[in-house]
Amino acid sequence: MEFGITFKGFIEADRARYLVRAAEYAGFSYCWFYDSHILWRDCYAAIAMCMEHTQDMRFGPLVTNPDVRDWSVAASIFGSLSKQSGGRFDLAVGRGDSSMRVMGKKPATLKRVAEFIDKTKAMVRGEEVSYGEIPAAVQFPWAVGHDMPSWIAAYGPLALKTAGESADGVVLQIADPGLCKWFTDQCIEAGQLAGKDMSNYRSMAAAPAYFGDKKRAIEKVKWFPAMVGNHVADIVEKYGSDSDKVPQSLTSYIEKRRGYDYSKHGQADNPYLDFITDDVVESFCVLGEPDEHISKIHALEAAGVTQFNIYLDSGDEEEIIAGYGRHVIPAFR
């Protein structure tokens, strides 16, 4: 089991450097950053900075999308970070939920997500690439052949199929073992049907973690199911609440959802939290004493999850990193 942390773009530079060093020392092997350029500061400047303060930790956006940057610009960023870090860069891509909708634009299609991964990976490797309507092919003379690991964020059946066929791993914004297995199995099946070797396919459960009193912990992470519910609402709108394509356990909790404020995306003060129940929060997150964290992560591992990635934005960041370093991560070594 790999362990990661994820930052939003509002964390100050000094604090980011401090926390990322502490996380690497504690045994975390990944650091991810939200890529939503209007809601938060640009993530790639922060990634470059943190790379200089770590030795082995890997970095990437969680997640970027195909429609906010020209593809050669995006690939140049990815390739530059890969080159200067000795290959410590992963690419995780989604449709552009908050990044696009906050501008009043629609997220990208899944076909475009898959093509974006294919084309940017090829450019980073140094290949000559044509895309869109550019009149001349693009090739980076400075590329060193780095092959970026790729991930796709997914919930719905078509997105899971795309993740299995077109990426090395899937990003699941949830830490419910049963749902993670249901999602991951679909990715693996899709990849196998496409003729891929799926023996090393990766599955990430990305969710908040919090130690101590459950009641206090639930209040600290209640923002997360609201953020997840926003994605699930799109799936339910597409497939219907009674469809066998989406589990009832995933859709039932959003029945009383009133709306969503993108200016408060992923934040504790989002006004649309009243539909979230305590049992949903416990299901979606990893809470309680260290032994409870260990038990749930073992269940995630048994469900096919290969990385537990903590959304590190519920407060007490130092204590969470230290607690995982002292108690949780050693249980998986």
Side-chain angles (χ1 to χ4, degrees), residues 250-291:
L250 189 63
T251 60
S252 60
Y253 82 99
I254 65 166
E255 290 176 356
K256 297 181 180 179
R257 179 178 181 271
R258 294 181 292 114
Y260 195 74
D261 183 355
Y262 267 97
S263 70
K264 301 293 186 181
H265 186 61
Q267 295 179 209
D269 60 347
N270 196 304
Y272 297 103
L273 300 179
D274 55 349
F275 72 101
I276 303 298
T277 60
D278 289 358
D279 60 329
V280 166
V281 179
E282 281 204 62
S283 173
F284 283 25
C285 304
V286 179
L287 310 174
E289 299 304 321
D291 61 327

Side-chain angles (χ1 to χ4, degrees), residues 7-333:
F7 289 130
K8 291 197 190 89
F10 56 58
I11 188 167
E12 293 302 325
D14 287 346
R15 184 161 172 74
R17 289 192 291 266
Y18 161 68
L19 289 173
V20 80
R21 287 193 297 263
E24 184 172 58
Y25 181 80
F28 288 88
S29 55
Y30 270 86
C31 179
W32 302 92
F33 282 83
Y34 284 48
D35 183 12
S36 197
H37 65 291
I38 292 175
L39 296 180
W40 303 295
R41 299 191 303 271
D42 181 79
C43 71
Y44 300 104
I47 288 173
M49 174 187 70
C50 289
M51 282 176 166
E52 295 299 314
H53 290 266
T54 52
Q55 298 295 319
D56 301 309
M57 182 173 273
R58 302 187 64 85
F59 292 84
L62 202 78
V63 290
T64 192
N65 70 81
D67 287 342
V68 289
R69 299 172 186 89
D70 175 84
W71 289 9
S72 66
V73 173
S76 183
I77 294 170
F78 307 154
S80 298
L81 290 169
S82 297
K83 189 175 188 299
Q84 71 190 45
S85 67
R88 293 188 287 135
F89 184 84
D90 282 31
L91 174 64
V93 185
R95 295 178 58 218
D97 188 60
S98 66
S99 181
M100 297 301 292
R101 291 185 183 180
V102 77
M103 296 189 290
K105 295 184 177 182
K106 292 184 178 180
T109 64
L110 290 166
K111 180 180 179 181
R112 189 163 170 81
V113 168
E115 185 182 5
F116 175 75
I117 290 175
D118 180 60
K119 298 293 188 179
T120 54
K121 281 173 67 78
M123 281 186 266
V124 170
R125 287 193 299 265
E127 299 171 16
E128 187 175 88
V129 176
S130 295
Y131 63 92
E133 298 180 353
I134 61 169
V138 171
Q139 186 172 29
F140 298 151
W142 47 267
V144 294
H146 177 58
D147 191 19
M148 293 184 299
S150 61
W151 308 71
I152 289 178
Y155 284 112
L158 290 179
L160 293 164
K161 180 175 182 291
T162 304
E165 293 173 343
S166 302
D168 303 310
V170 62
V171 177
L172 306 172
Q173 284 183 306
I174 199 164
D176 179 284
L179 289 171
C180 284
K181 177 172 172 51
W182 189 80
F183 291 137
T184 303
D185 286 351
Q186 288 183 71
C187 294
I188 291 173
E189 181 181 3
Q192 290 172 337
L193 290 174
K196 287 178 60 180
D197 177 5
M198 301 297 281
S199 58
N200 293 315
Y201 192 75
R202 302 164 78 183
S203 175
M204 178 201 301
Y210 207 87
F211 289 115
D213 177 72
K214 282 281 184 71
K215 184 175 181 181
R216 180 172 183 267
I218 286 168
E219 288 305 311
K220 288 287 188 177
V221 302
K222 204 169 186 179
W223 60 267
F224 178 70
M227 184 174 76
V228 172
N230 176 60
H231 301 300
V232 173
D234 285 345
I235 300 169
V236 173
E237 183 177 352
K238 181 177 178 64
Y239 294 102
S241 59
D242 298 324
S243 171
D244 60 0
K245 294 181 181 294
V246 186
Q248 182 64 26
S249 60
L250 189 63
T251 60
S252 60
Y253 82 99
I254 65 166
E255 290 176 356
K256 297 181 180 179
R257 179 178 181 271
R258 294 181 292 114
Y260 195 74
D261 183 355
Y262 267 97
S263 70
K264 301 293 186 181
H265 186 61
Q267 295 179 209
D269 60 347
N270 196 304
Y272 297 103
L273 300 179
D274 55 349
F275 72 101
I276 303 298
T277 60
D278 289 358
D279 60 329
V280 166
V281 179
E282 281 204 62
S283 173
F284 283 25
C285 304
V286 179
L287 310 174
E289 299 304 321
D291 61 327
E292 294 176 280
H293 287 241
I294 292 168
S295 177
K296 186 159 189 179
I297 295 169
H298 272 305
L300 288 169
E301 189 174 41
V305 170
T306 62
Q307 181 178 152
F308 177 53
N309 173 24
I310 300 174
Y311 282 128
L312 200 67
D313 44 27
S314 302
D316 295 331
E317 289 83 6
E318 289 90 344
E319 289 79 3
I320 292 168
I321 288 172
Y324 266 73
R326 292 192 190 109
H327 306 295
V328 180
I329 293 175
F332 295 86
R333 297 293 183 259

